[in-house]
């Protein structure tokens, strides 16, 4: 992208064109809403709460690191309208990056039952790991992919593995193309928050909460700090490179 000459009148940068940490506007989007809470964990805790806790920590880490313009986006109401509220919030706030935070489950047909806290509950221990999604329909696809890879690399360096099941037939309509076989970045073109946002956009499934062991890990501050630190390190690296 062309840079203005030294004497030219300063123009506002195109979104995602460059990165000055204090001005770079990251919107940390908490996936789902209190009413439409997403997946239910193996111990019957709603995904929204996991997303909110991790999103809050990621926002704090990014601000501590110098990304002062980072904001946490919490949306209410029903599922579908909430997606467009997120896109509007990011676009109206002239975001440079939308980072949507989620926790993973499995298709219903893979669920098994167990008793937790005296109640019949659902789980699947078959899959685990984080995953990252980007949309080719996003106008900053290349930047989104670069960012997703940087986050994936940091997560991998922490010893975490990615969820490899999205390429399998068993995933049915959730099946995705794997764009980075080393770092766990998938293509998810149709997702509203990724495709309609005018900034770069990445969705992070931080881990599986339907997997009984991984749910416990995702509940631990240690794992939350590890993931938030990895995201902050990736963003710092991104800004240095720009
Ligand atoms: Zn979700």
């Amino acid at each position: 992208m062309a840079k203005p000459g030294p004497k030219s009148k300063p123009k506002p940068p195109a979104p995602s064109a460059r990165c000055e940490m204090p001005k770079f506007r990251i919107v940390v989007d908490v996936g789902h809403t209190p009413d439409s809470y997403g997946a239910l964990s193996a111990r019957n805790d709603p995904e929204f709460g996991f997303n909110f806790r991790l999103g809050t920590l990621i926002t704090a880490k990014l601000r501590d690191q110098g990304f002062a313009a980072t904001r946490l986006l919490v949306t209410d109401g029903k599922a579908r309208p909430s997606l467009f509220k997120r896109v509007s919030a990011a676009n109206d706030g002239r975001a440079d990056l939308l980072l949507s935070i989620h926790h993973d489950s499995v298709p219903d047909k893979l669920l098994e039952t167990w008793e937790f806290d005296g109640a019949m509950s659902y789980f699947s221990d078959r899959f685990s790991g984080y995953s990252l999604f980007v949309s080719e329909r996003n106008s900053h696809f290349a930047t989104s992919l670069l960012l997703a890879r940087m986050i994936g690399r940091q997560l991998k360096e922490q010893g975490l593995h990615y969820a490899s099941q999205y390429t399998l037939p068993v995933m049915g309509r959730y099946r995705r193309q794997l764009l980075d076989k080393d770092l766990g970045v998938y293509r998810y073109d149709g997702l509203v928050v990724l495709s309609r946002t005018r900034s770069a956009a990445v969705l992070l499934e931080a881990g599986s909460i339907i997997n009984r062991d991984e749910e416990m890990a995702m509940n631990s501050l240690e794992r939350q700090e590890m993931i938030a630190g990895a995201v902050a390190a990736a963003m710092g690296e991104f800004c240095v490179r720009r």
Side-chain angles (χ1 to χ4, degrees), residues 1-208:
M1 201 157 292
K3 282 182 188 166
K7 283 182 184 170
S8 68
K9 213 175 155 187
K11 282 181 190 167
S16 309
R18 60 193 171 119
C19 182
E20 284 177 63
M21 279 169 94
K23 292 182 187 167
F24 194 78
R25 286 182 287 266
I26 305 170
V27 173
V28 178
D29 170 45
V30 174
H32 308 283
T33 72
D35 298 335
S36 177
Y37 55 74
L40 204 56
S41 79
R43 293 171 180 80
N44 305 308
D45 280 332
E47 182 194 341
F48 176 79
F50 287 87
N51 298 342
F52 181 77
R53 289 186 290 276
L54 184 59
T56 302
L57 196 60
I58 288 172
T59 302
K61 287 261 184 213
L62 286 167
R63 284 184 185 153
D64 281 355
Q65 181 158 317
F67 288 99
T70 303
R71 60 175 282 225
L72 185 72
L73 177 62
V74 181
T75 316
D76 58 13
K78 290 183 179 167
R80 184 91 185 147
S82 88
L83 299 179
F84 293 94
K85 283 186 201 170
R86 291 164 215 273
V87 170
S88 296
N91 290 346
D92 295 349
R94 292 174 52 239
D96 293 297
L97 169 67
L98 180 92
L99 177 63
S100 193
I101 306 300
H102 287 255
H103 287 72
D104 219 354
S105 185
V106 293
D108 288 353
K109 65 182 173 186
L110 298 178
L111 293 171
E112 299 169 60
T113 55
W114 69 316
E115 196 182 299
F116 176 72
D117 229 0
M120 204 267 283
S121 308
Y122 295 97
F123 78 97
S124 172
D125 293 339
R126 196 161 152 188
F127 305 119
S128 61
Y130 74 86
S131 44
L132 291 148
F133 298 86
V134 291
S135 170
E136 257 190 43
R137 288 189 210 152
N138 181 287
S139 52
H140 296 279
F141 169 66
T143 304
S144 304
L145 179 58
L146 176 70
L147 278 162
R149 282 185 162 138
M150 285 176 161
I151 294 170
R153 183 164 290 114
Q154 291 292 336
L155 292 170
K156 188 181 177 183
E157 277 179 14
Q158 294 298 319
L160 299 175
H161 66 274
Y162 76 85
S164 56
Q165 73 269 21
Y166 280 97
T167 56
L168 301 178
V170 73
M171 294 304 284
R173 67 190 173 96
Y174 300 103
R175 222 170 153 187
R176 306 279 167 229
Q177 182 190 352
L178 186 57
L179 297 175
D180 192 314
K181 292 179 175 63
D182 185 37
L183 303 173
V185 181
Y186 291 93
R187 179 179 162 187
Y188 193 166
D189 285 352
L191 198 71
V192 171
V193 292
L194 297 180
S195 62
R196 306 246 184 153
T197 303
R198 284 200 289 270
S199 66
V202 175
L203 185 142
L204 169 65
E205 294 276 3
S208 175

